[in-house]
Amino acid sequence: MLMKSVSLRGKKLPLPIIQGGMGIGISRSRLAGSVAKEGGMGVISTAQVGYDDPDFDRDPEAANLRALPRQIKKAKEISGGKGLVGVNVMVVTRLYADYIRTVCEAGVDAIISGAGLPTNLPEYVEGYDVAIAPIVSSEKSAKVILKYWDKKYHRTADFLVIEGPRAGGHLGFSREQLADIGSMNYDEEIRKILAVKKEYEEKYGMTIPVFSAGGMFTREDVKHALELGVDGIQAATRFVATEECDASDAFKKAYLNAKAEDAVIIKSPVGMPGRAIHNAFIDKMNANPGKVTHCFNCMKGCNPATAPYCISMALINAVKGKLDEGVIFCGSRVGEVNHMTTVPALMRELTV
């Protein structure tokens, strides 16, 4: 079964592989642009994207909003007009609407939004030629968001990303579900979501491409996903150990050195479970939670007075290579990352 190009709001995606957005600073312009250059969709994570701006500590939001257009422009220059450049914007971002409008003004091709249901996303992209996709993890969440957009905005999604329980970072599952992934028949959940979107395809007379995410690691995984009926895949963990990834060499080595059992579920200060590589920082926070001394005011649901640590600072430390002072988000199959590669080689490896 061969991967076929898809159209997202009239924008052609030659190779239906999306590189998942990874924050903070793991997927910025270099990685996203390199993936787009190969015909896929490279995705910049907006989470604290301006973390290395000289003014970030004093005014992080202004630094982020300045950095986004620069990162999108650089990615498009690297892509050479091939593929698509998208962004991932978390719904829990405090200045969510500002981020959406900023990336639209910058000419981004697509917006993928999760960490909550992006109920108001169509309102914020009104007037812009940008494809939008919610991240859904269940039939229920797909029904809720597509019905809401249909009734309130008289439109539907341009594409969908189904993020399964093997994904990295913040996850749309309970800790109990994640502890017993083997008992989940997630293939059936994917089929149910495909049935939900078919209703809206028929109503709007359009095709809504679907991308499967979480545990997409080999060509066989991609083939299996396509056989379920999806149009493409989203992968993130595999793109970390590439020369083009924006993370530090130390961060990449953490992936290369990780064993299967090192991928653990943690509780994020934003109240969601997340998957990360077990390290000294996680042990320290479990034994003796710290105190947040500086709040970046970045996400809803995070209370600095009760948070055991600052998730932004922990992720910034990790991307800079201070691994024992940070959180290293990863997918469940990080233990299978055993060599450095390049984006072109990886894209060829995943293509079926």
Side-chain angles (χ1 to χ4, degrees):
M1 183 178 291
L2 296 175
M3 302 189 84
K4 299 178 181 178
S5 66
V6 297
S7 179
L8 311 178
R9 199 176 178 83
K11 302 170 186 286
K12 184 179 180 181
L13 183 63
L15 192 60
I17 294 178
I18 298 174
Q19 158 256 309
M22 296 173 281
I24 291 170
I26 310 302
S27 61
R28 294 205 294 179
S29 58
R30 188 178 181 212
L31 178 57
S34 298
V35 172
K37 187 177 181 179
E38 298 305 311
M41 183 191 295
V43 178
I44 297 167
S45 168
T46 65
Q48 306 293 40
V49 66
Y51 76 94
D52 53 356
D53 186 288
D55 199 36
F56 179 77
D57 286 341
R58 188 187 67 81
D59 193 347
E61 292 301 348
N64 290 333
L65 293 172
R66 283 196 304 272
L68 273 172
R70 293 198 300 266
Q71 291 293 325
I72 292 168
K73 181 181 178 181
K74 287 180 183 177
K76 290 205 163 196
E77 288 173 351
I78 293 169
S79 76
K82 301 175 183 177
L84 298 176
V85 173
V87 295
N88 180 294
V89 191
M90 295 187 296
V91 176
V92 293
T93 302
R94 288 193 185 275
L95 296 185
Y96 182 73
D98 296 296
Y99 276 52
I100 297 297
R101 292 183 177 119
T102 296
V103 300
C104 286
E105 285 286 342
V108 79
D109 295 309
I111 297 170
I112 298 170
S113 192
L117 289 178
T119 52
N120 298 324
L121 181 55
E123 175 185 341
Y124 303 143
V125 302
E126 184 68 33
Y128 295 99
D129 182 23
V130 58
I132 59 174
I135 295 176
V136 296
S137 295
S138 65
E139 176 192 20
K140 180 180 178 181
S141 59
K143 282 182 174 179
V144 169
I145 193 64
L146 294 180
K147 182 178 181 179
Y148 188 87
W149 283 6
D150 175 40
K151 296 191 77 171
K152 184 169 183 178
Y153 299 108
H154 309 294
R155 69 160 295 173
T156 192
D158 297 303
F159 62 108
L160 292 177
V161 175
I162 302 176
E163 191 169 273
R166 297 190 181 279
H170 292 111
L171 301 165
F173 298 88
S174 69
R175 196 179 185 100
E176 291 72 28
Q177 288 175 312
L178 296 170
D180 192 18
I181 293 177
S183 68
M184 296 175 67
N185 184 357
Y186 203 69
D187 283 359
E188 183 58 28
E189 197 69 28
I190 291 174
R191 294 188 185 99
K192 290 178 180 178
I193 295 171
L194 290 172
V196 171
K197 69 100 178 185
K198 186 175 180 181
E199 173 188 345
Y200 293 92
E201 287 182 321
E202 293 171 352
K203 179 170 184 175
Y204 286 93
M206 62 181 282
T207 299
I208 304 173
V210 175
F211 297 80
S212 181
M216 293 296 108
F217 208 86
T218 66
R219 184 175 297 177
E220 288 69 34
D221 298 322
V222 177
K223 183 179 180 182
H224 177 69
L226 296 179
E227 288 172 347
L228 289 174
V230 304
D231 303 276
I233 61 107
Q234 175 178 287
T237 295
R238 289 229 57 192
F239 282 97
V240 171
T242 61
E243 293 176 6
E244 298 87 347
C245 179
D246 296 275
S248 67
D249 288 343
F251 190 97
K252 296 176 187 181
K253 286 178 182 177
Y255 270 54
L256 294 170
N257 294 333
K259 300 178 179 63
E261 59 269 24
D262 291 331
V264 297
I265 301 300
I266 64 171
K267 182 178 180 180
S268 167
V270 302
M272 301 172 71
R275 181 174 281 111
I277 294 176
H278 179 254
N279 67 351
F281 180 80
I282 290 175
D283 285 341
K284 180 181 177 182
M285 289 302 103
N286 286 337
N288 185 25
K291 183 177 181 181
V292 176
T293 57
H294 177 74
C295 178
F296 294 96
N297 199 35
C298 57
M299 289 190 283
K300 294 173 282 188
C302 182
N303 182 353
T306 58
Y309 62 91
C310 171
I311 186 66
S312 280
M313 198 69 255
L315 292 172
I316 289 170
N317 284 340
V319 73
K320 288 183 174 180
K322 296 187 284 186
L323 304 184
D324 287 342
E325 300 174 47
V327 168
I328 312 164
F329 276 149
C330 68
S332 68
R333 298 177 68 178
V334 67
E336 296 175 52
V337 178
N338 53 27
H339 67 281
M340 284 292 293
T341 185
T342 65
V343 165
L346 178 54
M347 295 291 274
R348 287 194 299 270
E349 184 181 335
L350 292 173
T351 303
V352 295

